[in-house]
């Protein structure tokens, strides 16, 4: 059976555009709001990334850290995340969903138990930020066995040899980090340079769906729209933060932002 993530990329390509991928934190600023945001923005997205809140982030910038803090402050637990995923997936307009988190919580929960639970509730993919190649080979095989796409990461510092090795064992989606930085930072390299790096990876593995993340904003997204997919995260988390501080509706504000981002890649 074809993973829904693959179908999402195929549908986007049929429309001659990048797949638009969101990242928000599950439980920000509470369970209901985070679920309502996801339901509302889904119509303008191809794939959803939902972050599992964590108090010791590896590459998250301040916007995502703030989102995680709010969710944790409101008592979100891993089992709550699974319940919310299941609720989201019951929605007819739901999109393929990737959970993004850290290995410690998976290890504590138990690898096989975690993957089994992901499959039960409808998770389609996993990004485990601090479980890099080659240490993730065993876990990625376990994911593949359960029809869950394990998303490998490629950084600007990744050597050609290592890149080839990662691509050879990767699933259909690969995450290209645009620059050496934390999430939400302003781009430190030109969009032309990012696209050149993208083309290098794409030529090595034309059949893989290469998505670009880190530093994507309303100003930069249109210049990167030839990529297979684009991940927007900190921008959305910042919009949630501002909405809360201004006592505005984050569901409405984030939905408007995603709709505008979609227009920029058409």
């Amino acid at each position: 059976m074809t993973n829904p993530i693959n179908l999402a990329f195929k549908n986007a390509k049929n429309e001659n555009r990048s797949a638009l991928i969101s990242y928000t934190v599950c439980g920000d600023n509470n369970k209901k709001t985070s679920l309502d945001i996801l339901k509302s923005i889904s119509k303008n997205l191809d794939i959803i990334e939902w972050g599992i809140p964590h108090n010791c982030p590896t590459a998250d910038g301040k916007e995502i850290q703030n989102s995680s803090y709010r969710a944790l402050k409101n008592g979100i637990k891993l089992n709550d995340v699974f319940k919310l995923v299941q609720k989201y997936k019951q929605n007819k307009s739901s999109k393929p969903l990737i959970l993004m988190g850290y290995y410690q919580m998976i290890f504590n929960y138990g690898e096989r138990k975690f993957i089994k639970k992901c499959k039960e509730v409808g998770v389609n993919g996993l990004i485990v930020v601090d479980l890099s190649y080659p240490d993730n080979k065993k876990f990625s095989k376990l994911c593949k066995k359960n029809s869950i796409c394990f998303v490998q990461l490629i950084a600007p510092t990744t050597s050609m040899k290592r890149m080839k090795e990662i691509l050879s064992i990767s699933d259909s989606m690969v995450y290209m980090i645009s620059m050496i930085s934390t999430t939400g930072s302003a781009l430190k390299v030109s969009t032309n340079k990012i696209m050149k790096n993208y083309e290098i990876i794409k030529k090595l593995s034309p059949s893989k769906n290469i998505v670009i993340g880190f530093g994507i904003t309303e100003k930069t997204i249109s210049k990167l729209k030839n990529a297979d997919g684009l991940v927007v995260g900190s921008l959305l988390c910042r919009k949630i933060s501002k909405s809360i501080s201004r006592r505005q509706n984050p569901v409405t504000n984030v939905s408007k932002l995603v709709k505008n981002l979609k227009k920029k890649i058409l």
Side-chain angles (χ1 to χ4, degrees):
M1 184 179 174
T2 305
N3 189 301
I5 292 171
N6 296 348
L7 291 175
F9 282 111
K10 185 178 179 181
N11 291 338
K13 284 172 184 173
N14 287 340
E15 295 176 11
N16 295 312
R17 61 173 179 82
S18 292
L20 185 58
I21 305 164
S22 69
Y23 173 91
T24 53
V25 175
C26 184
D28 181 25
N29 66 323
N30 56 54
K31 297 170 193 174
K32 183 182 183 302
T33 301
S34 66
L35 183 58
D36 287 346
I37 288 172
L38 223 57
K39 287 178 178 178
S40 181
I41 64 178
S42 288
K43 60 180 173 289
N44 287 307
L45 293 169
D46 299 285
I47 298 168
I48 300 282
E49 278 183 23
W50 225 4
I52 303 171
H54 199 277
N55 62 357
C56 296
T58 298
D60 293 336
K62 67 174 184 177
E63 301 299 343
I64 293 174
Q65 285 186 41
N66 288 340
S67 285
S68 286
Y69 174 75
R70 286 191 295 265
L72 291 169
K73 189 179 178 183
N74 282 322
I76 191 91
K77 305 292 184 186
L78 184 54
N79 281 329
D80 295 321
V81 174
F82 287 133
K83 287 174 185 175
L84 287 167
V85 170
Q86 194 164 34
K87 282 185 180 179
Y88 171 71
K89 281 294 189 169
Q90 288 168 355
N91 182 26
K92 288 182 180 179
S93 60
S94 70
K95 296 295 170 70
L97 188 144
I98 297 169
L99 275 186
M100 188 169 183
Y102 295 88
Y103 184 66
Q104 179 193 357
M105 63 185 77
I106 297 171
F107 178 79
N108 290 341
Y109 196 87
E111 284 188 357
R112 291 183 183 277
K113 184 183 172 186
F114 181 84
I115 291 174
K116 183 183 177 184
K117 191 66 178 177
C118 283
K119 192 172 182 179
E120 281 177 9
V121 300
V123 172
N124 304 110
L126 287 172
I127 297 175
V128 187
V129 184
D130 55 346
L131 187 62
S132 57
Y133 175 85
D135 296 328
N136 60 31
K137 286 170 76 174
K138 181 183 173 184
F139 186 75
S140 65
K141 283 181 181 177
L142 201 56
C143 288
K144 197 167 189 177
K145 190 177 178 181
N146 287 274
S147 303
I148 292 172
C149 176
F150 183 84
V151 182
Q152 298 280 356
L153 305 176
I154 291 179
T157 52
T158 304
S159 68
M160 186 63 73
K161 180 178 180 292
R162 180 177 169 81
M163 201 183 292
K164 288 177 180 177
E165 289 173 357
I166 290 171
L167 290 167
S168 70
I169 64 113
S170 69
D171 213 315
S172 59
M173 175 178 161
V174 177
Y175 193 120
M176 175 191 141
I177 299 168
S178 68
M179 59 181 174
I180 304 167
S181 180
T182 55
T183 60
S185 300
L187 281 181
K188 298 177 181 178
V189 292
S190 70
T191 51
N192 286 339
K193 174 64 176 171
I194 292 169
M195 287 310 296
K196 282 181 182 177
N197 291 341
Y198 166 84
E199 291 298 339
I200 290 169
I201 299 169
K202 193 66 182 172
K203 283 178 182 176
L204 288 173
S205 191
S207 64
K208 301 289 170 75
N209 297 300
I210 314 299
V211 307
I212 302 173
F214 283 49
I216 296 178
T217 65
E218 289 177 281
K219 291 182 179 179
T220 60
I221 193 167
S222 60
K223 296 175 183 177
L224 300 168
K225 65 181 183 179
N226 289 328
D228 292 326
L230 297 167
V231 183
V232 184
S234 294
L235 188 67
L236 306 187
C237 293
R238 188 180 301 121
K239 182 62 75 174
I240 294 170
S241 294
K242 285 184 176 180
S243 299
I244 293 166
S245 66
R246 293 172 182 173
R247 297 187 178 182
Q248 296 173 346
N249 187 340
V251 179
T252 302
N253 290 349
V254 176
S255 297
K256 286 179 181 177
L257 176 55
V258 171
K259 186 177 181 180
N260 190 43
L261 290 167
K262 179 71 174 288
K263 288 178 182 177
K264 290 179 180 291
I265 62 169
L266 294 176

